[in-house]
Amino acid sequence: MANPEPNGSPPVFDAAFRDQLDLLFRWRRDVRRFRPDAIAPEILDGLLQRAALSPSVGYSQPWRFVLVESAQRRAAVRADFLRCNAEALADYHGERARLYANLKLEGLDQAPVHLAVFTDHATATGHGLGRRTMPETLDYSTAMAIFALWLAARSQGIGVGWVSILTPAEIARILDVPDTWTLTAYLCVGYPAEEDDTPVLARVGWEEKDGEAGRLVRR
Amino acid sequence: MANPEPNGSPPVFDAAFRDQLDLLFRWRRDVRRFRPDAIAPEILDGLLQRAALSPSVGYSQPWRFVLVESAQRRAAVRADFLRCNAEALADYHGERARLYANLKLEGLDQAPVHLAVFTDHATATGHGLGRRTMPETLDYSTAMAIFALWLAARSQGIGVGWVSILTPAEIARILDVPDTWTLTAYLCVGYPAEEDDTPVLARVGWEEKDGEAGRLVRR
């Protein structure tokens, strides 16, 4: 048996903590406007350590973080976004197209930190446990790690914006990662220029709260 | 513009909260042994409300929660698990097979609450925004909602266990959900019979912490 030492006592969380946790869930936002202030390396490292505490299928820990520092690579990512975004705009018409054209869907030009997150589909870690019939749970593990990073960031006043209007294979090529890594997310990270407890897409009238999403179906 | 009213001031989280949040990340566990005590309906409802505060691509909110109460349906889900688990065991050999056979990989027999979580791939909510090139972000949104529910549950002393050793199409059939819903997770929810800050798969020697998973690659 590994680690036979007794651990500390299980924590008991009180109502005050849960109220704060609710505020964290409520004020986490997808941020697209950033202040230029840098994120200290030790703070970024701390965020990755929190992400690594996330659940993963069979304890596979398949998340891989790539810090994109090269101006040339950042420009190539941004070019891919602009291409994909123009194609997406062409799918909308009339008022919806006008709304779409006015959305700011990324903070690639402002965010001090660009963090690409990949899932390693060839990892031997976890020995394949739990993902034989649902291999996609490997990607879901990475998504949860991203959410942990996001919450930890917000708890320090740092904002995260998830950019998905990208060509995954092109981003993998630009960043020269192993063939077995697939892109899960491209994150912009930095101190937010504005804060709100309502999603921006609700604020600008793109979409409202979905009633069905909170409903419990019984079987 | 929707919702022009001013919101409250952005919360500032202090070091004491962040320490507690770290404990929450650290003591969240995939629980497979539950006490039989029921979860009050209003507590379960509160967990769903927290899950609904999660990020979703284009504000699509694609998560759909199915509370599985029927003993017959629960038995059918358990039969599918047993079939899938036997097939998975056959993939391992020697010491690894012995280890696998001794793992308890689900709490289906004990958990008072069975919660199946689906992703609605036909939802019009979000008007397709952000998922044209990465449609899988719809499923990732549901994975993040599950993690929010998981953290909210643990903050109330409630444990969650994610069962993925299942045939997704078979679970959808058993639960008679719309064709456009695909299974993301089958969750066992209840008060845990034991608590620990180390993943059980690490404790029993199945897998260790992956050094590469915490490493930052620079590009």
Side-chain angles (χ1 to χ4, degrees), chain A residues 3 21 61 70 80 95 101 107 111 126-127 136 138 145 148 156 165 168 183:
Chain A
N3 189 20
L21 183 63
Q61 309 157 70
S70 144
D80 184 62
E95 172 64 10
H127 303 274
E136 61 273 26
L138 209 60
Q156 301 193 46
I165 304 172
L183 184 75

Side-chain angles (χ1 to χ4, degrees), chain A:
Chain A
M1 296 282 161
N3 189 20
E5 293 91 35
N7 298 303
S9 299
V12 175
F13 300 99
D14 62 13
F17 171 75
R18 285 195 294 272
D19 286 349
Q20 292 272 96
L21 183 63
D22 281 351
L23 278 178
L24 182 63
F25 285 142
R26 217 171 283 280
W27 283 85
R28 177 212 51 78
R29 287 274 68 79
D30 193 299
V31 174
R32 293 103 190 252
R33 296 179 197 278
F34 296 94
R35 293 194 276 120
D37 313 58
I39 303 282
E42 62 274 18
I43 288 184
L44 184 60
D45 188 59
L47 298 182
L48 298 189
Q49 299 311 316
R50 268 71 173 191
L53 294 172
S54 299
S56 62
V57 60
Y59 203 32
S60 54
Q61 309 157 70
W63 40 75
R64 302 290 179 262
F65 293 97
V66 178
L67 185 66
V68 184
E69 297 175 303
S70 144
Q72 198 176 347
R73 294 194 209 260
R74 285 189 176 204
V77 168
R78 188 163 162 73
D80 184 62
F81 166 79
L82 291 171
R83 208 162 33 235
C84 292
N85 201 43
E87 287 169 11
L89 172 59
D91 284 347
Y92 297 104
H93 301 96
E95 172 64 10
R96 186 60 60 180
R98 193 195 62 76
L99 256 179
Y100 188 93
N102 282 326
L103 295 174
K104 176 165 171 56
L105 295 172
E106 43 69 46
L108 293 169
D109 47 345
Q110 297 175 318
V113 172
H114 285 205
L115 195 61
V117 191
F118 291 84
T119 299
D120 181 359
H121 281 262
T123 186
T125 307
H127 303 274
L129 191 152
R131 51 188 154 109
R132 187 177 184 278
T133 56
M134 298 189 73
E136 61 273 26
T137 49
L138 209 60
D139 307 281
Y140 300 168
S141 304
T142 302
M144 290 190 284
I146 291 166
F147 192 34
L149 182 150
W150 205 333
L151 292 171
R154 182 61 188 81
S155 78
Q156 301 193 46
I158 294 169
V160 172
W162 180 322
V163 186
S164 62
I165 304 172
L166 294 168
T167 317
E170 173 67 2
I171 303 305
R173 190 194 65 73
I174 292 168
L175 300 182
D176 192 22
V177 297
D179 286 348
T180 58
W181 293 16
T182 62
L183 184 75
T184 307
Y186 195 93
L187 305 179
C188 293
V189 183
Y191 293 96
E194 56 190 17
E195 300 199 75
D196 207 286
D197 65 351
T198 304
V200 65
L201 293 176
R203 276 181 277 144
V204 302
W206 179 267
E207 190 53 87
E208 297 178 356
K209 194 84 188 168
D210 183 345
E212 196 182 357
R215 198 164 58 88
L216 190 59
V217 176
R218 288 166 190 275
R219 287 289 188 270

